[in-house]
């Protein structure tokens, strides 16, 4: 539905192999394979919280010009898509309580700055998606002020009255905020975020609220030329009502497609693992919903690392595709984001960079559009408070550039040293270190972006070792196949023989422990030695 024409080979990016060969003559050189320019939705996405990312004007707050100035950094790491959390006018640092949908918060810049960012992304063959918050607004939004005035006067025929959900009973339902003895409004998140009455859109798709929401989408898709949306709080559109959530998603998707037919939309969806609720939402036409089952310390990726058993790798891929069956949806796996926390904590990676590398490699061997949270490439940490919890502010701390672009800590975040927050140092330091997480991520992205079988393909596990530490999985797409071999053991190298397969040579290797590499003792025998936490791509 939203796929462009067939992908073609274009500019070539090669993985250097000289260092490996010079270290050991029996290491397998990697085959020079061109990077495939991504012309559809199966992208390698980079998530930014603008407030904390890059400060271009010295006020301590991140801004759009800072993102523009650091865009080459993101592109050079191999990311070809960008998701920004909300940028519209709002009194909060996170901007999820929007005052004006068709604006840019003055702390971040101007509409012209945003349009420049979009153009700069497109010049680099990168897409950019906008965080679309339609579950609620700020209580400072003009819609809410007009609606509250109508509700207070019981002017039920005022068109703005029906923009929000009002209760005129003296008893206050759960999830509502009381403003008078017989007046309260729905606000599932908090009182400063009144919920929009999206039932009004379903009942009156040609009504004023529906028209206003459509104009917001048209403004960003046409006037600002964004490539799509990330949908916030999908399950709260109609709390507990999957059918109505799906109906509104269908309206939203159809409306967006009527404006821009190739629009890409990804939803937050249900946070549960392999949720059938998300499978239902996929029927709406939306491109996909975040695969929470790959995220956090309890997800598939952390489980593979902790148990040293990658046999769930093929299962996870097939389960993701299963949720999309019968629809045009694609998976959207991730490990961490602004709500969940940091990859370092989930993968126990503070003193173990190989765990960070391996986790990231496992993520990027998954299909669909993968999502990476800014700063995880340099091992940023989310500080745990004295109560054992991590505050939202600590999940969204400044990117440690090591230069004048570094923002000030968010007000209310935990006071901690840079060594605690940034155990692997700054971006500047990491870029200089050939063994750093950041340089490994660049290599992983290159491998991912070279193989449609990884980004688009199905999975068939053909081998599992007796100790279950090694698996071999065929990834196939449009008649082409590669073999992905994973050794998840944390300390032991493993031998894998692929004589009985149709595959012939290693074309990519991801060795997560510094100084290790895939070896082939005899060039005439299809047998390799994979180091601990290593992945081989065989074609």
């Amino acid at each position: 539905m939203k796929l462009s024409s067939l992908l073609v080979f274009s500019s070539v990016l090669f993985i250097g192999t000289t260092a490996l060969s010079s270290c050991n003559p029996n290491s397998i050189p990697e085959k020079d394979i061109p990077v495939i320019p991504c012309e559809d939705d199966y992208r390698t996405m980079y998530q930014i919280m603008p407030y904390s990312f890059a400060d271009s004007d010295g006020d301590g707050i991140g801004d759009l010009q800072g993102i523009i100035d650091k865009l080459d950094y993101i592109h050079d790491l191999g990311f070809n898509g960008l998701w920004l959390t909300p940028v519209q006018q709002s009194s909060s640092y996170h901007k999820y309580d929007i005052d004006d949908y068709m604006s840019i918060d003055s702390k971040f810049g101007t509409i012209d700055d945003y349009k420049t960012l979009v153009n700069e992304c497109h010049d680099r063959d990168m897409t950019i998606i906008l965080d679309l918050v339609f579950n609620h607004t700020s209580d400072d939004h003009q819609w809410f002020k007009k609606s509250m005035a109508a509700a207070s006067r019981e002017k039920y025929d005022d068109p703005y009255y029906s923009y929000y959900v009002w209760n005129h009973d003296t008893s206050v339902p759960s999830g509502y905020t009381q403003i008078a003895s017989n007046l309260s409004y729905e606000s599932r998140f908090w009182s400063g975020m009144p919920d929009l009455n999206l039932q009004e859109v379903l009942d009156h798709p040609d009504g004023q609220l529906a028209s206003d929401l459509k104009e917001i989408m048209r403004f960003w898709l046409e006037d600002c030329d964004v490539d799509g949306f990330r949908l916030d709080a999908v399950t709260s559109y109609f709390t507990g009502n999957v059918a109505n959530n799906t109906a509104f998603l269908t309206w939203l998707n159809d409306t967006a497609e009527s404006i821009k037919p190739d629009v890409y939309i990804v939803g937050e969806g249900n946070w549960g693992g392999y949720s059938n609720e998300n499978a239902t939402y996929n029927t709406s036409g939306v491109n996909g919903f975040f695969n929470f089952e790959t995220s956090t310390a309890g997800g598939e990726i952390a489980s593979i690392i902790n148990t040293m058993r990658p046999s769930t790798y093929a299962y996870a891929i097939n389960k993701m595709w299963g949720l999309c069956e019968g629809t045009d949806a694609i998976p959207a796996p991730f490990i961490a984001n602004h709500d969940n926390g940091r990859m370092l904590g989930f993968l126990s990676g503070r003193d173990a960079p190989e765990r960070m590398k391996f986790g990231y490699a496992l993520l990027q061997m998954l299909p669909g559009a993968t999502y990476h949270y800014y700063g995880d490439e340099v091992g940023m940490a989310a500080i745990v408070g004295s109560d054992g919890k991590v505050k939202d502010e600590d999940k969204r701390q400044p990117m440690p550039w090591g230069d004048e672009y570094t923002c000030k800590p968010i007000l209310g975040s935990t006071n901690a040293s840079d060594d605690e927050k940034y155990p692997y140092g700054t971006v500047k330091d990491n870029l200089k270190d050939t063994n750093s997480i950041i340089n490994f991520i660049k290599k992983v992205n290159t491998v991912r972006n070279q193989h449609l079988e990884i980004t688009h393909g199905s999975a068939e596990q053909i081998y599992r070792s007796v100790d279950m530490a090694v698996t071999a999985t065929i990834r196939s797409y449009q008649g082409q196949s590669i073999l992905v071999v994973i050794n998840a053991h944390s300390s032991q190298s493993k031998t894998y023989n692929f004589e009985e397969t149709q595959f012939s040579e290693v074309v990519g290797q991801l060795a997560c422990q510094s100084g290790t590499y895939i070896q082939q003792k005899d060039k005439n025998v299809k047998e390799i030695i994979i180091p601990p936490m290593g992945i081989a791509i065989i074609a």
Side-chain angles (χ1 to χ4, degrees):
M1 176 180 67
K2 298 172 185 172
L3 300 182
S4 64
S5 58
L6 289 176
L7 296 159
V8 295
F9 290 106
S10 181
S11 58
V12 177
L13 175 61
F14 297 120
I15 304 175
T17 59
T18 304
L20 287 177
S21 297
S22 63
C23 289
N24 188 314
N26 294 318
S27 67
I28 296 177
E30 294 168 84
K31 187 177 178 63
D32 290 337
I33 302 173
V35 168
I36 304 166
C38 190
E39 297 179 354
D40 59 17
D41 302 323
Y42 294 71
R43 291 182 175 265
T44 310
M45 304 289 290
Y46 189 93
Q47 181 196 353
I48 290 175
M49 174 151 279
Y51 195 94
S52 304
F53 189 65
D55 171 24
S56 72
D57 58 13
D59 66 356
I61 295 172
D63 47 55
L64 295 175
Q65 186 58 53
I67 298 172
I68 294 168
D69 292 347
K70 296 297 186 179
L71 201 56
D72 281 339
Y73 159 81
I74 299 169
H75 181 258
D76 290 347
L77 290 185
F79 293 99
N80 50 31
L82 206 60
W83 158 32
L84 271 59
T85 56
V87 293
Q88 295 98 331
Q89 184 63 44
S90 167
S91 59
S92 68
Y93 76 90
H94 53 72
K95 311 302 176 189
Y96 277 97
D97 47 348
I98 294 173
D99 297 343
D100 179 359
Y101 281 102
M102 293 186 287
S103 70
I104 294 292
D105 194 285
S106 58
K107 293 184 177 67
F108 295 162
T110 66
I111 284 289
D112 285 340
D113 292 332
Y114 188 85
K115 291 179 178 179
T116 298
L117 173 60
V118 172
N119 290 335
E120 291 289 334
C121 283
H122 291 167
D123 286 346
R124 293 165 175 80
D125 295 322
M126 298 173 66
T127 55
I128 179 169
I129 62 175
L130 178 93
D131 215 315
L132 193 63
V133 187
F134 273 176
N135 179 67
H136 49 258
T137 70
S138 161
D139 59 356
D140 284 329
H141 198 291
Q142 287 301 310
W143 292 349
F144 184 70
K145 292 179 179 180
K146 292 177 180 180
S147 186
M148 183 168 59
S152 299
R153 300 194 308 272
E154 298 184 356
K155 297 288 185 179
Y156 304 131
D157 58 347
D158 187 307
Y160 284 100
Y161 172 82
S162 59
Y163 273 45
Y164 297 84
V165 183
W166 295 99
N167 170 56
H168 291 274
D169 196 85
T170 53
S171 61
V172 181
S174 174
Y176 280 64
T177 296
Q178 187 173 25
I179 57 175
S181 59
N182 63 340
L183 186 63
S184 58
Y185 60 89
E186 187 176 15
S187 50
R188 297 285 175 177
F189 285 79
W190 75 293
S191 60
M193 291 180 174
D195 286 8
L196 284 168
N197 180 16
L198 300 180
Q199 185 65 51
E200 173 70 11
V201 176
L202 298 184
D203 292 343
H204 304 285
D206 296 321
Q208 184 171 301
L209 177 56
S211 178
D212 280 346
L213 297 184
K214 180 176 181 178
E215 176 58 19
I216 290 166
M217 288 190 277
R218 189 211 62 78
F219 172 78
W220 291 106
L221 291 172
E222 283 191 348
D223 293 359
C224 299
D225 200 24
V226 300
D227 299 286
F229 302 119
R230 176 264 183 187
L231 305 180
D232 180 62
V234 165
T235 59
S236 297
Y237 289 160
F238 299 87
T239 302
N241 191 328
V242 175
N244 277 7
N245 287 338
T246 306
F248 181 74
L249 285 166
T250 302
W251 174 87
L252 188 157
N253 181 75
D254 290 348
T255 303
E257 282 193 332
S258 72
I259 301 166
K260 178 171 285 191
D262 61 348
V263 62
Y264 168 73
I265 302 175
V266 63
E268 184 175 14
N270 186 280
W271 284 33
Y274 297 121
S275 167
N276 288 328
E277 185 174 337
N278 287 343
T280 301
Y281 294 153
N282 281 335
T283 65
S284 66
V286 168
N287 290 86
F289 294 84
F290 288 125
N291 297 111
F292 281 88
E293 61 273 8
T294 60
S295 69
T296 71
E300 293 281 0
I301 293 172
S303 176
I304 288 174
I305 295 174
N306 291 331
T307 64
M308 297 187 289
R309 294 181 175 181
S311 56
T312 56
Y313 168 74
Y315 168 82
I317 292 172
N318 291 327
K319 192 67 177 179
M320 288 177 195
W321 283 124
L323 295 177
C324 302
E325 188 174 357
T327 74
D328 292 314
I330 64 174
F334 71 103
I335 296 176
N337 67 22
H338 66 290
D339 284 326
N340 293 74
R342 287 287 170 188
M343 189 168 77
L344 179 135
F346 298 148
L347 303 183
S348 302
R350 179 173 286 274
D351 298 309
E354 67 278 2
R355 292 175 69 93
M356 297 284 285
K357 293 175 181 179
F358 193 41
Y360 186 80
L362 291 171
L363 170 67
Q364 298 303 356
M365 293 300 103
L366 296 174
T370 57
Y371 284 80
H372 169 85
Y373 189 33
Y374 83 95
D376 279 349
E377 68 267 29
V378 290
M380 284 177 60
I383 303 302
V384 179
S386 57
D387 59 356
K389 299 179 180 179
V390 179
K391 296 191 293 185
D392 282 344
E393 291 86 349
D394 290 320
K395 302 170 186 174
R396 308 162 181 177
Q397 281 300 290
M399 182 77 157
W401 292 108
D403 61 24
E404 68 275 13
Y405 281 86
T406 303
C407 303
K408 293 179 181 177
I410 295 173
L411 186 66
S413 60
T414 301
N415 186 24
S417 68
D418 282 353
D419 286 343
E420 292 176 285
K421 293 187 291 186
Y422 312 118
Y424 292 100
T426 68
V427 173
K428 185 177 180 180
D429 293 336
N430 276 262
L431 287 172
K432 295 176 182 178
D433 180 2
T434 57
N435 291 319
S436 67
I437 300 168
I438 200 170
N439 279 310
F440 182 79
I441 281 177
K442 183 184 295 187
K443 181 175 181 177
V444 174
N445 288 348
T446 300
V447 171
R448 173 179 171 82
N449 295 336
Q450 287 175 327
H451 297 285
L452 291 175
E453 297 91 342
I454 293 174
T455 56
H456 294 60
S458 60
E460 178 192 359
Q461 182 176 289
I462 62 169
Y463 173 80
R464 183 179 68 183
S465 62
V466 174
D467 65 358
M468 293 190 285
V470 179
T471 59
T473 301
I474 297 175
R475 303 295 305 280
S476 301
Y477 177 69
Q478 292 188 344
Q480 301 295 316
S481 297
I482 59 172
L483 188 63
V484 178
V485 186
I486 301 171
N487 175 16
H489 203 284
S490 63
S491 60
Q492 295 178 10
S493 294
K494 299 288 183 177
T495 299
Y496 176 69
N497 186 299
F498 53 102
E499 284 285 351
E500 300 301 318
T501 75
Q502 74 269 35
F503 305 100
S504 59
E505 61 180 328
V506 175
V507 297
Q509 55 175 307
L510 301 172
C512 301
Q513 294 186 356
S514 298
T516 63
Y517 36 78
I518 294 169
Q519 300 177 66
Q520 187 171 1
K521 290 184 178 180
D522 187 332
K523 298 298 182 183
N524 298 315
V525 177
K526 294 199 293 185
E527 185 173 273
I528 55 175
I529 300 173
I530 310 176
M533 294 186 177
I535 300 175
I537 312 296
I538 306 175

